[in-house]
Amino acid sequence: MAMKSLSFLAVLSLLALTLPLVISSDPSPVQDFCIGVNTPANGVFVNGKFCKDPKVATADDFFFSGLHNARPVTNAVGSNVTAVNVNNLPGLNTLGISLVRIDYGVNGQNPPHTHPRATEILVLQEGTLLVGFVSSNGDGNRLFTKTLSKGDAFVFPEGLIHFQFNVGRSPAVAFAALSSQNPGVVTIANTVFGSNPPINPNVLSRAFQLDPRVVMDLQNKF
C-alpha cells in the first residue's frame, strides 16, 4: 500500500513539473497542418482561426515572399517591423512559430517592448545593434545586454522587456523567430502613455515619480 502511495505521489510530482511546459507555448497540433481562414464555412475553429479543409490546401498556404526587400523607415522610433505570422501566412496556424524582419535607420531602435506569448531569437544580418532585456522583479530587474555584429544572435525570454538600438553608422537589418504563431507585442511607452482611454496622470506620476504635468505632456505625445 505504501509503495502504491509513493508511486501515485511520484506521478503527481512528474505532472506538476511537466504541465507548465505543456501550457507555456502554443497548443500542439493534432494533425499535419491547419490552414487558418477567416470564414467558418466548412471550417473548424482551432487556436484563434478557422481551419481550411486540408484536402484543398496548396503550397501557397505555406509561402511568403519579399523578405529580402528593404523596408522604408519613416516613424519616430526609426525602425520598421515586418511580421510574418498567422495573420499573413495562414499555414502557420497551430504550428507555434513566426518570423519578423526589422529594418533600423541610423540611431533607430525597436523600443522597449514585450511579447506576451513568445520567446524570441534574433539574428543580425547587417549593421551593429545594442540589444538587451531586463529580468523580472523577483530577479532584481537585471539588465542583460550585448552589442551585436553581423551574424550574431541573441535570445529574449518570453514576456520580458527587451529592445534593440542601432549604434552603427549605417542602417541595420535583423531577422527574428518567435515561438508563437501570433506572439503579440506590448510596446511599453505606447501602452503606458498612449492607452485608450488614458491612465489617470496621478497614477503614473506616483509610479514614475514625476510631476503630473510631465505625465500629461508625455501622454499628449502618444
Side-chain angles (χ1 to χ4, degrees), residues 12 18-19 32 45 53 66 74 77 79 85 105 114 130 155 157 164 178 185 191 206 215 219:
L12 283 180
T18 58
L19 185 59
D32 287 348
F45 196 72
D53 183 345
T74 58
V77 298
S79 67
N85 56 39
T114 71
L130 174 68
V155 173
Q164 303 106 37
L178 299 107
V185 60
T191 302
R206 176 65 67 90
V215 171
Q219 288 177 320

Side-chain angles (χ1 to χ4, degrees), residues 71-109:
R71 268 57 176 178
V73 177
T74 58
N75 57 25
V77 298
S79 67
N80 188 335
V81 179
T82 302
V84 182
N85 56 39
V86 69
N87 294 316
N88 54 15
L89 183 55
L92 288 174
N93 194 41
T94 74
L95 299 186
I97 193 169
S98 58
L99 176 74
V100 296
R101 172 190 169 120
I102 313 171
D103 292 83
Y104 310 83
V106 176
N107 295 320
Q109 64 172 284

Side-chain angles (χ1 to χ4, degrees), residues 140-163:
N141 300 127
R142 291 189 294 155
L143 173 64
F144 296 80
T145 186
K146 200 79 174 174
T147 299
L148 304 186
S149 298
K150 181 178 180 179
D152 291 343
F154 197 81
V155 173
F156 306 106
E158 180 175 343
L160 297 186
I161 295 174
H162 58 282
F163 62 89

